[in-house]
Amino acid sequence: MKKHLPVNLDLPVRSYPNYVYIFGILEGDYEPWLYSNFLQLVHTETGWFDFLVPQFLHEEDLLIRHYSYLPANKTVDNKQSIINMIIEMINNDFYVTGIFNDYYVSFRPHYKQWDFDHFFMINGYDNENRLFNVVSYTKEIVLKEEKISFDDFIIACNNLISPTLELIFYKQNKTFKLEFNINKTKKYIEDFLNSINTTRLKQAGLYGIEALNSYRKFGIDKRFFSLTRIYVIYEHAKLVVNLTEYLINNKYIDDDEKILIENIKRIEKMGELLKFIRIKMDFVKSNLIFSKIIDVLNTLISLEEGHLKLLLEKLKG
Amino acid sequence: MKKILFINQNPPIKSISKVAYALSILLEYPSDYLYLINNFIDLKCDINGNNIEFVDKAINFSNHNLFTTYSIKIPTQSIVNIGNDILNLILNLINDGYYVHGIANLIDYYDRSYLIYGYDDDKKILHTINHVKEGFYGKSILTYDNYLNSLKLNDKNSYIGFIRKLNNNTHNVSILDIKGQIQNYAYIHNDSSILQGKNVFKKQIELLSNTKKYEKIEMKPFNILVEHKRLMADRIKYLIYTKGLDQKYLQKYQNIIKKAVYINNSCKMYNNSLNNKQIPLIQNNIQLLLKEEFLILDEIIESYNSKKI
């Protein structure tokens, strides 16, 4: 017996796995919904920089969610129970996310040097050949579907650095409507520009423009910009571009003077440039590259701020 | 193969299942009883007098200083399909020292929650402790089949928790903390959503007036009443033997326990007779108990203030 659940690997946002795997399973055109909900950024006191992921993403209004938390070092002892539980959940159309130790995963040779707990998503199985279908990140931050044997999977879970084997089972709640919401969009643009958080998800940290500036300062002080976090900034810029196009195309605003279109072309260009230079930074260690990232980042932040102000003015009519 | 883990079948709090289970695992050695000295001093309930609970410093399975916990929550239908796998998981984890806790539709049992502390694979049975009937917290035996069948009767989702006691705890008793909590209990300090301290049973007096004709009284608050007084007496005993509190307070407090037991018995008698004339008597006895208890606790606080302890 086998079963394979569909996954979309071409995603508009793919910086961090806590929302990426969820986007991967959503059916229908959810991008307009994304524009209303993925505008806010947060830089927490602990140094975490990311989108402020809406609370409902992890609640039962968007997802039907179940879980299994078991002692990781007992995975081998409970091997068949855990495999059968995963298969049972897939048979009921649940995807399975969790963390395993990449050191023990054959298709992740670049982690062969050290133990590393990494996110995965199981979206299928083949009982006859004793294989799971697993989606996970490659080292280039690209999602890819691979196969892992039941045995290797169990060993990779049994050897987690974390004491807990976390398996989260979820599927889309089809009654939840993924729709664009203009009022929410206006509110979140305003929040972003005022650097405040009015959602019910409370995290101690800085928001919006202040979050961007604070991460930029953090990078300059530490003389390091993480690739994944630069991806967050790049993807945020991309979403601002897509949102603007959506608003124009759906006649929420007009852009007769073509100012907004010009703005988003420049934002898009700066976003791409930022990503490109950051990737280059891994190969060319020089002060020049580092200064270039700071320059591009400064320009991008100021472009986004100016553009969102104009967008908000137009939306308020 | 069989395995039986330690279980204290007579914890000092039985009226609240989740506390009873935690204490059944926790109270293994005499020194573990020190948990009770600093805890369970105050009481609380909601503004309508429902959901009476002890105020404690998280003596429950979510407290990661006391317990290691794991859990699964899956659709009940899946438990039906992979019941034997779940059972194997449970037996393996019991072998590793984990107790198993959850909710199941245990037919003929008073409480739907259970705690499994052992199994015997030859006899295909699980050893459990729970409220088999009202007011009786004790050990019982479930066959594998009965257990799995009762899980199948759960609502949409089924939860199973795996709990192991941590053995690296030290029990520090803070005398000032006890004083603070006794003051909290004795003097009124409600917020807008909950009632605390003496007001919990003042509210019960009020609720008793609303008892309809031929309606039974819920016994849980009055079981808590007795447990609360017994624990307070143990605390006073501790203060006498370790901190020099005057012996007379224990003698005085023994009377409070007697009164609490009397009130509890009166409620049981009322439930048998449903004679409404007994209600004012019960209300009056609670009133007297609270008054007398307050005087004793006030004197104990005075002993603190005058540095007699």
Side-chain angles (χ1 to χ4, degrees):
Chain A
M1 181 150 175
K2 60 164 102 172
K3 177 149 181 169
H4 183 258
L5 301 171
V7 180
N8 179 9
L9 300 179
D10 181 21
L11 301 170
V13 181
R14 54 189 169 90
S15 312
Y16 282 106
N18 54 339
Y19 40 84
V20 163
Y21 292 132
I22 295 172
F23 293 155
I25 72 159
L26 297 180
E27 285 179 12
D29 181 14
Y30 61 88
E31 282 204 36
W33 164 81
L34 205 64
Y35 306 149
S36 302
N37 290 288
F38 264 66
L39 273 167
Q40 187 61 283
L41 295 173
V42 61
H43 192 201
T44 67
E45 284 168 358
T46 53
W48 183 255
F49 178 76
D50 195 2
F51 287 94
L52 180 72
V53 179
Q55 183 77 37
F56 60 76
L57 213 58
H58 298 290
E59 291 176 357
E60 297 213 350
D61 37 7
L62 172 65
L63 301 171
I64 299 166
R65 196 173 173 276
H66 293 279
Y67 57 80
S68 162
Y69 299 126
L70 292 171
N73 61 0
K74 299 293 169 195
T75 311
V76 168
D77 297 349
N78 295 305
K79 178 179 164 180
Q80 207 48 51
S81 296
I82 291 169
I83 290 170
N84 289 350
M85 181 157 54
I86 292 172
I87 290 174
E88 164 65 18
M89 295 308 281
I90 295 172
N91 284 343
N92 286 293
D93 298 328
F94 281 91
Y95 294 76
V96 185
T97 60
I99 298 172
F100 54 33
N101 187 338
D102 267 342
Y103 179 88
Y104 297 89
V105 178
S106 59
F107 57 80
R108 311 299 296 270
H110 40 287
Y111 286 106
K112 259 298 166 224
Q113 295 159 45
W114 63 83
D115 289 83
F116 195 89
D117 288 358
H118 227 151
F119 280 94
F120 65 83
M121 178 166 76
I122 299 178
N123 64 315
Y125 69 89
D126 175 348
N127 220 346
E128 201 178 315
N129 295 307
R130 297 187 62 77
L131 295 168
F132 283 127
N133 301 74
V134 180
V135 173
S136 66
Y137 282 95
T138 65
K139 66 175 176 177
E140 293 85 16
I141 321 187
V142 172
L143 287 171
K144 197 173 172 194
E145 188 175 323
E146 308 268 4
K147 287 189 169 62
I148 187 170
S149 71
F150 289 172
D151 288 343
D152 283 355
F153 173 76
I154 291 294
I155 294 290
C157 293
N158 201 80
N159 288 287
L160 277 166
I161 302 165
S162 157
T164 307
L165 168 64
E166 288 184 27
L167 299 173
I168 313 290
F169 312 110
Y170 58 81
K171 62 179 170 185
Q172 185 176 357
N173 177 2
K174 301 282 174 61
T175 59
F176 183 78
K177 297 272 180 268
L178 293 161
E179 291 171 335
F180 180 74
N181 182 325
I182 187 63
N183 292 328
K184 215 183 211 185
T185 308
K186 274 192 251 182
K187 180 78 194 128
Y188 287 168
I189 294 176
E190 208 164 1
D191 284 1
F192 185 83
L193 289 169
N194 293 328
S195 302
I196 55 168
N197 169 24
T198 56
T199 67
R200 57 196 163 114
L201 182 66
K202 300 296 172 209
Q203 272 180 285
L206 297 169
Y207 294 92
I209 291 290
E210 271 183 14
L212 274 172
N213 282 324
S214 149
Y215 180 66
R216 181 187 54 179
K217 187 171 179 311
F218 177 87
I220 296 168
D221 290 349
K222 302 268 177 206
R223 298 196 60 74
F224 175 73
F225 288 104
S226 124
L227 180 60
T228 324
R229 285 162 196 196
I230 287 293
Y231 247 86
V232 171
I233 298 175
Y234 157 69
E235 289 182 330
H236 186 264
K238 213 169 62 176
L239 283 177
V240 169
V241 169
N242 292 350
L243 165 69
T244 311
E245 282 176 344
Y246 182 83
L247 291 171
I248 296 170
N249 294 340
N250 289 280
K251 314 264 185 249
Y252 286 101
I253 46 173
D254 64 57
D255 186 33
D256 299 338
E257 312 88 1
K258 305 285 177 208
I259 300 172
L260 293 174
I261 289 291
E262 281 307 312
N263 276 353
I264 60 173
K265 275 184 191 165
R266 291 167 68 200
I267 291 172
E268 196 165 18
K269 198 174 145 195
M270 281 297 142
E272 291 287 351
L273 190 59
L274 181 70
K275 186 178 73 167
F276 173 74
I277 303 171
R278 176 54 190 86
I279 291 169
K280 206 172 163 188
M281 198 175 119
D282 281 345
F283 303 100
V284 184
K285 306 275 181 208
S286 86
N287 279 342
L288 199 65
I289 293 265
F290 188 74
S291 311
K292 187 74 182 160
I293 287 192
I294 297 166
D295 286 349
V296 175
L297 201 48
N298 283 342
T299 313
L300 183 64
I301 294 171
S302 119
L303 274 175
E304 264 200 43
E305 188 173 10
H307 176 70
L308 286 173
K309 275 182 185 162
L310 183 60
L311 204 60
L312 189 63
E313 271 173 35
K314 286 204 173 244
L315 282 171
K316 285 184 169 177
Chain B
M1 176 93 185
K2 60 173 138 179
K3 175 100 181 175
I4 296 194
L5 303 173
F6 164 82
I7 198 83
N8 183 332
Q9 62 173 327
N10 193 21
I13 298 171
K14 303 188 188 79
S15 50
I16 302 169
S17 296
K18 63 177 182 180
V19 182
Y21 294 143
L23 293 179
S24 281
I25 298 175
L26 208 55
L27 301 180
E28 188 169 356
Y29 303 105
S31 63
D32 296 329
Y33 282 79
L34 290 175
Y35 279 118
L36 306 171
I37 303 297
N38 261 49
N39 274 294
F40 310 112
I41 298 174
D42 201 356
L43 291 169
K44 64 178 179 183
C45 67
D46 67 26
I47 207 81
N48 300 315
N50 300 320
N51 303 320
I52 298 185
E53 279 191 80
F54 287 92
V55 176
D56 64 77
K57 290 181 197 140
I59 307 287
N60 57 50
F61 295 150
S62 308
N63 186 334
H64 299 308
N65 292 321
L66 298 176
F67 302 103
T68 305
T69 55
Y70 293 98
S71 56
I72 58 175
K73 185 190 128 221
I74 56 177
T76 296
Q77 183 54 40
S78 290
I79 296 231
V80 176
N81 296 343
I82 53 167
N84 285 333
D85 292 302
I86 299 295
L87 193 60
N88 285 336
L89 192 65
I90 288 172
L91 303 188
N92 276 342
L93 287 169
I94 292 173
N95 287 341
D96 287 325
Y98 287 91
Y99 298 77
V100 182
H101 169 247
I103 302 287
N105 263 304
L106 299 164
I107 294 170
D108 299 333
Y109 279 34
Y110 174 69
D111 193 349
R112 293 178 65 226
S113 68
Y114 62 86
L115 185 74
I116 300 172
Y117 64 94
Y119 72 90
D120 183 335
D121 208 32
D122 297 333
K123 294 178 182 165
K124 308 282 178 220
I125 55 166
L126 298 165
H127 295 278
T128 67
I129 191 160
N130 51 2
H131 284 100
V132 180
K133 57 185 180 186
E134 188 177 12
F136 180 79
Y137 175 80
K139 292 176 174 178
S140 61
I141 282 169
L142 264 180
T143 65
Y144 290 174
D145 284 347
N146 276 350
Y147 175 63
L148 289 176
N149 286 334
S150 65
L151 289 181
K152 291 172 191 173
L153 295 172
N154 272 347
D155 299 335
K156 218 168 138 194
N157 302 317
S158 288
Y159 168 89
I160 299 172
F162 306 98
I163 297 105
R164 192 161 69 176
K165 177 188 169 185
L166 287 170
N167 288 319
N168 55 354
N169 291 298
T170 49
H171 322 295
N172 297 318
V173 177
S174 157
I175 294 300
L176 276 178
D177 184 28
I178 296 174
K179 179 195 169 191
Q181 290 194 66
I182 291 176
Q183 276 176 320
N184 280 351
Y185 171 70
Y187 306 114
I188 295 162
H189 62 110
N190 301 322
D191 69 22
S192 57
S193 59
I194 56 166
L195 299 175
Q196 272 186 267
K198 285 198 310 169
N199 274 4
V200 169
F201 272 93
K202 282 189 174 166
K203 187 73 186 175
Q204 292 305 314
I205 294 172
E206 203 182 304
L207 290 180
L208 282 170
S209 301
N210 303 334
T211 311
K212 291 185 188 128
K213 209 172 179 184
Y214 306 126
E215 183 186 49
K216 283 192 175 185
I217 298 172
E218 195 205 341
M219 283 306 298
K220 189 177 165 185
F222 301 98
N223 293 335
I224 291 176
L225 183 79
V226 175
E227 289 171 347
H228 180 257
K229 305 314 162 206
R230 285 188 173 143
L231 281 169
M232 190 65 91
D234 287 343
R235 198 167 294 113
I236 290 171
K237 214 181 284 177
Y238 176 84
L239 291 174
I240 290 169
Y241 293 119
T242 63
K243 305 292 167 190
L245 181 70
D246 196 319
Q247 184 91 28
K248 68 180 179 189
Y249 297 117
L250 184 61
Q251 286 153 2
K252 285 186 181 181
Y253 210 85
Q254 299 290 3
N255 277 334
I256 303 288
I257 297 177
K258 279 182 195 159
K259 282 196 164 69
V261 171
Y262 182 76
I263 291 166
N264 184 290
N265 285 337
S266 305
C267 292
K268 284 180 194 156
M269 278 166 64
Y270 165 80
N271 281 347
N272 286 332
S273 67
L274 297 177
N275 176 359
N276 267 42
K277 284 181 187 160
Q278 290 175 353
I279 298 279
L281 294 172
I282 295 170
Q283 287 171 305
N284 192 39
N285 282 331
I286 299 172
Q287 194 81 275
L288 289 172
L289 177 147
L290 293 177
K291 202 173 163 188
E292 201 175 316
E293 185 189 30
F294 175 75
L295 289 174
I296 300 168
L297 295 179
D298 204 35
E299 285 180 39
I300 291 175
I301 290 165
E302 190 45 45
S303 298
Y304 269 101
N305 292 340
S306 56
K307 300 201 168 125
K308 286 183 186 155
I309 56 169

